[in-house]
């Protein structure tokens, strides 16, 4: 085996990003062994991460690489064309994501997508999948790995030419990297948690709310959202400060809270179902992780949540993880399929963008739960829409660059900053013109 | 044993803060077992952390609690009354730390101080010291600890009512806490490293530079500092970007660099000694760590570098760690010697201040290596001195509040912000007055 062709790669983590990178590397001719801690989800159902996924441009392009885009988007995704805001008096207000090009985001079931990706990986003859293998020890520089088979208790020692850590937000590989000098890492839990509550299917398997929208109940300090599922249900999530959840400690308080804040949702869910689901688990935490670098020499690399976990409010966690795989693939194309060169250059190419989307995701929580109800937000949104319609290639709003393009995340922020400056100048010009007009008018009328 | 008296405490880490907290808790009647990974430094000399310590008010007050202040300050500390800046043309410029009250900071040898503290700890009948004990596993909530005796290989399992983690910047206990939900942690290595170079003793054991100063060679992007030692030598440290060190890869380049940047230091050190010491080790890294919370329930607490490692540029690392022990001691006094209550309330009382000093330490690197040479810095310094002289209790400069008082670190920053606003207003008033004077003068002369 030589670097550049038929390299021997171990991927740690069989979630979405781990399964995808396995496919992409296998397609490029590398030999990939995928080790996953959990059992094979296609055989044994285990309770996984709950928040629904919203697939957008970056994720779609990655799936296209392994010919899965069509299967996911057109056969299993539910197109959402915009946000539908629910007010306290049960009023509805639609805010389209992209009224110019009519782009949509797609509600996708996480475990379904994961199964698809594992199936696709397994079809490559140069791929081996190992489930129930928990990583116990790793030598990041030498490429030694020690796993334990959690079913048999057997210890497995192995070596790899290259290691890709796609082992999620609580990555063992990142934690091992964090012990090395000059590894920077910032792990932040926000003061808000979330609780899942599902909306039932309607009569004749119909949807009880519009299935073409991401539903939001924005309430300032907290919010509820709901995404449609293929089976007609909606998965709802309440995001709120932990203190708010702690105060809702009885069914009576919860129902009174819903009557006050989300009355239409209460009608749809029903009191009994709400109480039973809400108190089933305690509120889950939300973590944001930024680190640097993503590689150890030219052998080991972390990608996806292992490298940059983010809060879910821009729906870019999976999309950014999938784009990591695209970036890696592009680096391999550039470097004649040399994994060592791709790994060595990955951090430089990707890290600033990953940090940018972590920041944007944090900001978008504020937008979703609070700003969307503000006049200033809606005026800006209209201005953006008009300008985007007039200059479709020159004036692209922030949400569109993030969600419907592959503009580098960092550049999405620069682009927004540039637009802010332009709008500010336009407003000043308009102000000065009006002022000049009034003065001229006053002088004219005086004479 | 009951909470409030004779509690059973395990302290992990026998460095400065671990040894001090052992003394303070023992003095309050608790039973303390101190476990240290290294061998007893009083018996076996091991190469420890190198940067000299500068003891100031917070550290002194902590030592006073166990009657060690006098021994350290008056018998082993070397008073430094200010900075002595060395320019490229061998010129010298003195900047006093406190020209009003003549307060000094004290250069102290780290291992000497550590030995003093271990001796003091050992004198308490309710203290047991265990060296060569490496922490292998810990249950933060239940208080189980597993050590391995690194000399015999024996495994030791033990329990503790309370655990104090004083196990330094690379704390195993903090890393274990970081795996828990809602533990925030930020670990940042700065892009600069440092290399130690010592200055020899002069004729008849004399000091070859002023022993009453902390010597600085500020050069913008990098700097050298030197602190006096009891034996007549100085410990010098060059701080610079890693890229700068990498470029100095031959003795010729190093000497040429010193001739250019630190010519007086080169004269004193000598080329041969410089080359031999400079290339002995590769540049060391500098880490800054902020985390939250410091406790796990009411059983486990981290203090000192384990909780808040900082870059060394405000000389507050040890002082802040010692003040942690003071804060813990004050909480114990307030809560009738109850360790559970003290541990439970420690984060709330201390965390913001610890984060503030981490930030200040980062800022002070800029001040030491660059700002001290700027006119604006010197003008502000003079203004501060005059105002501090006029209002000794009302106008206390930032450096003095941090170094010569126990004002909460957070308040030191607020205090500085308030002073900045006042000075800005004064400058505006002065500007307006001068402007009005000029206008009046022009009108007067025109008539």
């Amino acid at each position: 085996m030589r670097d550049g062709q038929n390299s021997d790669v171990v991927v740690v983590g069989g979630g979405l990003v781990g399964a995808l990178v396995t496919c992409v590397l296998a397609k490029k001719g590398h030999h990939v062994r995928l080790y996953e801690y959990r059992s094979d989800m296609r055989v044994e159902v285990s309770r996984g991460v709950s928040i629904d996924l919203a697939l957008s441009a970056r994720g779609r392009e990655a799936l296209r690489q392994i010919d899965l885009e069509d299967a996911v988007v057109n056969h299993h995704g539910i197109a959402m064309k915009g946000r539908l805001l629910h007010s306290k008096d049960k009023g509805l207000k639609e805010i389209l994501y992209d009224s110019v090009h009519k782009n949509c985001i797609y509600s996708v079931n996480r475990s379904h997508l994961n199964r698809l990706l594992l199936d696709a990986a397994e079809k490559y003859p140069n791929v081996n999948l190992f489930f129930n293998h928990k990583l116990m020890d790793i030598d990041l520089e030498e490429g030694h790995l020690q796993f334990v088979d959690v079913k048999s208790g057997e210890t497995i020692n192995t070596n790899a030419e290259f290691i890709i850590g796609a082992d999620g937000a609580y990555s063992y590989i990142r934690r091992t990297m964090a012990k090395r000098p000059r590894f920077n890492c910032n792990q932040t839990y926000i003061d808000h948690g979330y609780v899942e509550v599902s909306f039932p299917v309607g009569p004749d398997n119909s949807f009880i709310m519009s299935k073409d929208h991401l539903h939001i109940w924005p309430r300032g300090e907290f919010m509820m959202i709901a995404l449609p599922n293929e089976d007609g249900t909606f998965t709802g999530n309440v995001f709120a400060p932990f203190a708010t959840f702690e105060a809702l400690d009885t069914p009576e308080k919860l129902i009174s809270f819903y009557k006050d804040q989300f009355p239409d949702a209460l009608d749809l869910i029903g009191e009994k179902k709400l109480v039973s689901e809400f108190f089933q688990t305690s509120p889950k935490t939300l973590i944001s992780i930024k680190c640097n670098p993503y590689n150890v020499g030219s052998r080991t690399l972390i990608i996806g949540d292992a490298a940059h976990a983010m809060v879910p409010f821009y729906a870019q966690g999976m999309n950014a993880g999938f784009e990591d795989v695209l970036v890696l693939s592009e680096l391999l194309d550039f470097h004649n399929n040399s994994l060592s060169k791709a790994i060595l250059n990955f951090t430089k190419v990707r890290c600033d963008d990953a940090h940018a989307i972590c920041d944007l995701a944090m900001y978008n929580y504020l937008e979703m739960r609070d700003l969307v109800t503000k006049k200033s937000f809606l005026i800006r949104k209209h201005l953006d829409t008009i300008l985007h319609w007039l200059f479709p290639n020159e004036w692209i709003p922030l949400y569109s660059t993030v969600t419907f393009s592959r503009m580098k995340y960092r550049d999405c922020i620069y682009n927004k900053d540039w637009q802010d400056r332009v709008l500010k100048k336009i407003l000043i010009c308009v102000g000065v013109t009006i002022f000049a007009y009034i003065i001229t008018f006053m002088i004219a009328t005086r004479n």
Side-chain angles (χ1 to χ4, degrees), chain A residues 380 383 395 417-431:
Chain A
R380 172 64 195 260
L383 270 177
W395 191 281
D417 290 345
W418 166 79
Q419 290 172 354
D420 286 348
R421 283 197 303 276
V422 170
L423 279 182
K424 201 172 161 185
K425 278 182 189 158
I426 291 175
L427 286 176
I428 290 171
C429 288
V430 169

Side-chain angles (χ1 to χ4, degrees), chain A residues 216-272:
Chain A
I216 313 183
W217 289 256
R219 297 293 180 265
E221 256 303 285
F222 56 93
M223 69 171 182
M224 181 165 70
I225 64 167
L227 276 79
N229 297 315
E230 270 192 283
D231 63 2
T233 62
F234 285 82
T235 303
N237 278 290
V238 188
F239 297 89
F242 284 102
T244 305
F245 286 118
E246 276 156 30
L248 298 173
D249 54 356
T250 66
E252 292 71 32
K253 285 184 195 166
L254 176 66
I255 289 164
S256 152
F257 175 76
Y258 261 74
K259 273 187 181 153
D260 191 32
Q261 299 292 342
F262 316 126
D264 54 347
L266 182 62
D267 293 347
L268 297 172
I269 301 171
E271 293 188 3
K272 197 176 154 196

